[in-house]
Amino acid sequence: MKRLTPYLLVLPGGLWLLAFLVVPIIFMASVSTQEGDVVNGFVQTFNVGNYVQAIGDFHTQFLRSAGYGLAGTAIAILLAYPMAYWIAFKGGARKSTYLLLVLLPFFVSFVLRTVSWKFMLADDGILLGPLKAIGLLPEDFHVLQTTAAVIGGLVYNYLAFMVLPIYVALERVDHRLVEAARDLYASRLGTFTKVVLPLSLPGVFAGVLMTFVPMTADYVNAAVLGGPENTMIGNVIQTQYLVGNDYPVGAALSLTLMAATLIGVFAYARALGTENVLAAAAR
Amino acid sequence: MTDNQVGVGAADTAAPLVSPVPAIELHGVVKEYRVHGELVQAVKGVTLAIAEGEFFSLLGPSGCGKTTTMRMIAGFEDPTRGTVSLHGGDVTGVPADKRDVNMVFQSYALFPHMNVWENVAFGLRRRKTPEAEIKRRVGEMLAIVDLTGRERRRPRELSGGQQQRVALARALVNRPRALLLDEPLGALDLKLRQAMQTELKRIQREVGITFVYVTHDQSEALTMSDRIAVMNNGEVEQLAGPREIYERPATAFVAGFIGTSNLLTGTVDRVDDGCAVLALGDGGRVLVAGSAHAAGDTLQVTVRPEKITISAERPSGRVSAARGTVEDVSYLGTYTSYAVRLPEGTEVTVFQQNAFDSSTTAEPGDSVWLSWQPHHSFAIGS
Ligand SMILES: Nc1ncnc2c1ncn2[C@@H]1O[C@H](COP(=O)(O)OP(=O)(O)OP(=O)(O)O)[C@@H](O)[C@H]1O
Ligand SMILES: [Mg+2]
């Protein structure tokens, strides 16, 4: 019985994952090599052509998604790190309040949040309207339908996933290590770069995973805030499924995205594995 | 505490104060904290001077302000009032990285993301020491603390004692002019602790720098220190060599905190040949050397348990003597401890060496005489 306990503990979660993650993926993999249409039904022909078509027709959107994901993640790090740092070291007794504030947007639906951005940033909306009226901005200036709007929306929507892991990592840094570094002649900056930053890198590492993956697969921000030039792979997949009813190509796109993301993440983990980064920081 | 008396060795007054400029000087240092709106004084006006090359201990019970005092020397904390000087220069307000002292933390505070070598090299690198010199000095230092061959280990892959030595090496490799150690052996077991005490003492002699050592372990302070400041409640109660602290405690607190001590209270009956004589019940008396007392003064007097002799007959000669009843006898290996109740109710502890045989001199219930030399009891402030 004792030896079974660990297995019993993973059983509920394991079954959940099996039912709702593994089975759909297998199902999708099967669909991705089928042929046919909605009216006459799809048959399994092991047609890899769907993949060729998926990558051939939509590689622009794949690359754009990766680009947006990278840019969004980078900006999120730059915004989240100082925030997490401030909460962890200067937050004092109010830390949990600040953390709650970071999480507050999550109490509103993802789509609603993004749509409210659309209202705020509309060409003659509450923000740009007055600025144009007083002549600070040219009449044809716009934010919506631009790359900046999409990336901005991505960063806004996923920022908390970057803040939280970094905060947790910073929170765990023993303050005595900071004092030890200062005692050993490190300046404030030196203490940060040699001790605090390296010790918080696992948090940054986790934050990158938690934001890059969903950002790359996102479709809401591009749909609401972007224009035709900003279509991401998530939008393509959505269109294939819901508009074009081309399930096989949609499935092929999804699996390609998943495989590409996994490969990217593994490459990232290998290249920037915590141990490697720490070893470099130790000098 | 200026009059020198019999029983106070010359050794503890001779060692320190060689260099005219003290390595560390605290002047009227006060540290206040605001805790929930209330002002708490952690250190209440400490003035002391530590000589170059001295092994100086801050000894006292938990919460008496030892760490706070040390943190002000290191530069982690600024005194609310008073000044801190290092080697003659006022450093009050100077940050830690600009002070030529290093600290060994109680918890070691080794950098977990660096291996032993990198931990030890940290300070030298921050000071832009040439790489070749770093290599040489770190190597030498690791040899001194006997860690050669473990350079690539991470702190978590080391035993407690090894981590402690890395912490020591990491501080010493910078050749600071003073090393501050905050209960550096606190986390070690007794055997390792004793081994490290000897080791620390050896290293201090080898490198010849000032050590300021914080401990709440009195035997540790007594064996290692040139001088000890006994702190209580934010103040220094006594500052002297180990022998004097033990033999001539200045206050009841020091007497009670360092080793076991008996406290007797009595009124001076007469002053006889430079000795105050206190009358005890049943014909007993206590002789207190020193002429500062007059008849009628009420005195508190200490005497250490091992200075007392037990006998069946009333001892003769110029000695302190007290009659009492043995209540308890405990055999403790090298010595036997007796609890003796005096007629006025005071319990006196007596240690008798088991030098020749282990047979006890007295049994519970026996009526006995206790005696000791006049120079073994002192009147103390309270
Ligand atoms: N940052 C602080 N804020 C408020 N009070 C403090 C602070 N640091 C120390 N104190 C208080 O000051 C007093 C002295 O603390 P300190 O740490 O110097 O004691 P210590 O002698 O080192 O004790 P220990 O042997 O337990 O380490 C304690 O009463 C403590 O509660
Ligand atoms: Mg302490």
Side-chain angles (χ1 to χ4, degrees):
Chain A
M1 191 60 215
K2 265 245 168 60
R3 283 208 257 145
L4 280 179
T5 316
Y7 299 105
L8 288 176
L9 287 174
V10 298
L11 198 60
L15 283 177
W16 180 275
L17 284 180
L18 190 70
F20 296 105
L21 191 72
V22 179
V23 172
I25 287 175
I26 294 170
F27 181 73
M28 219 162 60
S30 151
V31 172
S32 72
T33 50
Q34 293 177 2
E35 272 179 296
D37 56 58
V38 200
V39 185
N40 301 312
F42 297 99
V43 279
Q44 183 59 274
T45 56
F46 298 101
N47 172 21
V48 256
N50 290 333
Y51 284 91
V52 178
Q53 193 191 339
I55 297 169
D57 290 0
F58 300 110
H59 60 271
T60 331
Q61 284 82 352
F62 267 117
L63 290 177
R64 183 181 295 139
S65 296
Y68 285 8
L70 284 176
T73 305
I75 296 169
I77 294 178
L78 294 179
L79 291 179
Y81 200 98
M83 222 161 125
Y85 185 92
W86 188 85
I87 299 176
F89 292 123
K90 315 278 171 189
R94 296 232 172 76
K95 275 182 194 168
S96 34
T97 314
Y98 298 133
L99 285 178
L100 189 71
L101 286 177
V102 171
L103 286 173
L104 207 58
F106 284 96
F107 289 86
V108 178
S109 130
F110 185 92
V111 178
L112 264 185
R113 267 185 281 148
T114 314
V115 170
S116 68
W117 261 54
K118 186 179 173 134
F119 281 124
M120 278 168 51
L121 297 177
D123 293 354
D124 288 302
I126 51 167
L127 208 64
L128 300 188
L131 289 176
K132 286 178 182 175
I134 59 171
L136 260 180
L137 291 174
E139 264 312 311
D140 60 349
F141 184 85
H142 65 281
V143 176
L144 290 182
Q145 317 240 323
T146 62
T147 305
V150 178
I151 294 178
L154 287 172
V155 171
Y156 164 65
N157 278 310
Y158 294 104
L159 189 63
F161 294 121
M162 187 65 90
V163 175
L164 290 182
I166 297 178
Y167 166 80
V168 170
L170 283 171
E171 176 67 27
R172 279 211 305 242
V173 174
D174 186 343
H175 187 69
R176 285 168 295 200
L177 298 179
V178 174
E179 288 189 337
R182 298 282 288 152
D183 189 56
L184 294 164
Y185 319 113
S187 61
R188 280 173 199 285
L189 182 66
T191 304
F192 176 74
T193 57
K194 296 296 166 192
V195 177
V196 178
L197 182 63
L199 288 175
S200 67
L201 281 182
V204 179
F205 186 85
V208 166
L209 287 187
M210 287 170 69
T211 51
F212 176 74
V213 175
M215 275 185 186
T216 310
D218 187 88
Y219 64 93
V220 175
N221 285 282
V224 178
L225 302 173
E229 294 301 302
N230 306 117
T231 315
M232 293 175 69
I233 198 65
N235 306 89
V236 174
I237 295 172
Q238 191 205 14
T239 313
Q240 293 296 324
Y241 266 102
L242 302 181
V243 183
N245 285 332
D246 194 345
Y247 297 164
V249 171
L253 280 166
S254 298
L255 283 176
T256 309
L257 174 64
M258 208 174 98
T261 313
L262 275 177
I263 291 169
V265 165
F266 275 121
Y268 161 73
R270 269 198 81 98
L272 286 178
T274 340
E275 284 295 308
N276 288 339
V277 179
L278 290 183
R283 286 196 52 88
Chain B
M1 288 307 310
T2 41
D3 52 333
N4 219 355
Q5 275 185 302
V6 201
V8 178
D12 33 322
T13 36
L17 301 168
V18 184
S19 150
V21 177
I24 298 167
E25 222 176 340
L26 302 183
H27 199 86
V29 167
V30 173
K31 180 68 192 179
E32 291 170 348
Y33 289 110
R34 195 165 277 287
V35 185
H36 303 299
E38 228 175 290
L39 220 52
V40 177
Q41 281 203 332
V43 175
K44 305 173 182 171
V46 167
T47 297
L48 51 83
I50 301 170
E52 185 95 55
E54 191 174 13
F55 197 117
F56 189 94
S57 289
L58 289 171
L59 173 66
S62 183
C64 70
K66 307 181 295 289
T67 298
T68 308
T69 305
M70 177 159 281
R71 289 172 58 83
M72 288 189 285
I73 300 174
F76 297 134
E77 220 78 72
D78 278 328
T80 313
R81 283 189 290 285
T83 56
V84 179
S85 302
L86 296 178
H87 306 98
D90 187 340
V91 296
T92 322
V94 174
D97 58 325
K98 301 283 188 310
R99 294 192 188 190
D100 205 4
V101 296
N102 284 120
M103 181 139 169
V104 176
F105 292 78
Q106 172 160 23
S107 53
Y108 315 141
L110 298 177
F111 302 121
H113 58 298
M114 300 181 191
N115 63 30
V116 168
W117 208 91
E118 291 156 348
N119 261 285
V120 177
F122 190 90
L124 295 175
R125 281 191 167 146
R126 298 292 82 72
R127 288 184 143 186
K128 309 263 182 296
T129 313
E131 202 60 29
E133 191 184 339
I134 294 182
K135 219 170 175 146
R136 184 175 55 76
R137 278 168 68 173
V138 172
E140 282 171 11
M141 200 63 233
L142 288 175
I144 290 182
V145 297
D146 200 18
L147 280 172
T148 309
R150 302 220 155 69
E151 292 87 351
R152 302 268 153 255
R153 299 262 191 109
R154 286 285 171 83
R156 61 166 181 276
E157 296 159 352
L158 298 173
S159 72
Q162 290 169 337
Q163 291 182 29
Q164 207 282 331
R165 281 179 282 161
V166 177
L168 196 64
R170 186 178 69 170
L172 279 176
V173 76
N174 305 296
R175 301 189 187 136
R177 295 188 64 183
L179 188 68
L180 312 174
L181 304 101
D182 190 357
E183 307 209 21
L185 309 182
L188 306 182
D189 63 50
L190 185 67
K191 232 185 159 67
L192 195 52
R193 213 180 152 93
Q194 284 165 345
M196 283 305 298
Q197 285 173 5
T198 320
E199 191 77 344
L200 270 179
K201 209 47 207 172
R202 174 182 69 78
I203 291 170
Q204 196 245 350
R205 268 194 300 269
E206 228 161 84
V207 295
I209 62 175
T210 315
F211 271 39
V212 183
Y213 195 91
V214 162
T215 179
H216 61 241
D217 180 336
Q218 37 127 342
S219 68
E220 193 167 287
L222 289 175
T223 47
M224 299 175 80
S225 319
D226 294 320
R227 283 193 309 157
I228 302 171
V230 184
M231 289 187 70
N232 183 32
N233 207 2
E235 284 169 307
V236 175
E237 295 248 346
Q238 186 172 11
L239 199 169
R243 185 179 290 265
E244 184 170 347
I245 294 258
Y246 185 80
E247 302 278 347
R248 284 220 52 187
T251 65
F253 171 80
V254 177
F257 189 73
I258 315 281
T260 315
S261 187
N262 295 300
L263 209 55
L264 303 168
T265 312
T267 310
V268 179
D269 200 40
R270 63 199 147 89
V271 178
D272 193 22
D273 202 4
C275 255
V277 182
L278 281 70
L280 296 176
D282 259 2
R285 62 174 187 180
V286 179
L287 305 179
V288 185
S291 50
H293 318 295
D297 288 356
T298 300
L299 290 186
Q300 270 199 313
V301 175
T302 64
V303 57
R304 295 284 181 191
E306 71 277 12
K307 310 290 188 196
I308 304 175
T309 310
I310 297 185
S311 56
E313 302 298 319
R314 185 192 167 104
S316 57
R318 244 175 90 80
V319 292
S320 296
R323 196 171 171 75
T325 312
V326 177
E327 294 205 327
D328 192 38
V329 179
S330 334
Y331 176 74
L332 294 167
T334 54
Y335 64 92
T336 304
S337 169
Y338 298 85
V340 179
R341 181 78 60 191
L342 302 191
E344 55 272 22
T346 320
E347 190 185 277
V348 175
T349 305
V350 180
F351 295 159
Q352 298 282 277
Q353 283 289 324
N354 297 325
F356 303 108
D357 57 55
S358 58
S359 66
T360 50
T361 343
E363 300 294 333
D366 286 1
S367 185
V368 293
W369 278 94
L370 308 179
S371 59
W372 62 95
Q373 296 295 317
H375 62 259
H376 283 146
S377 46
F378 304 95
I380 55 172
S382 45

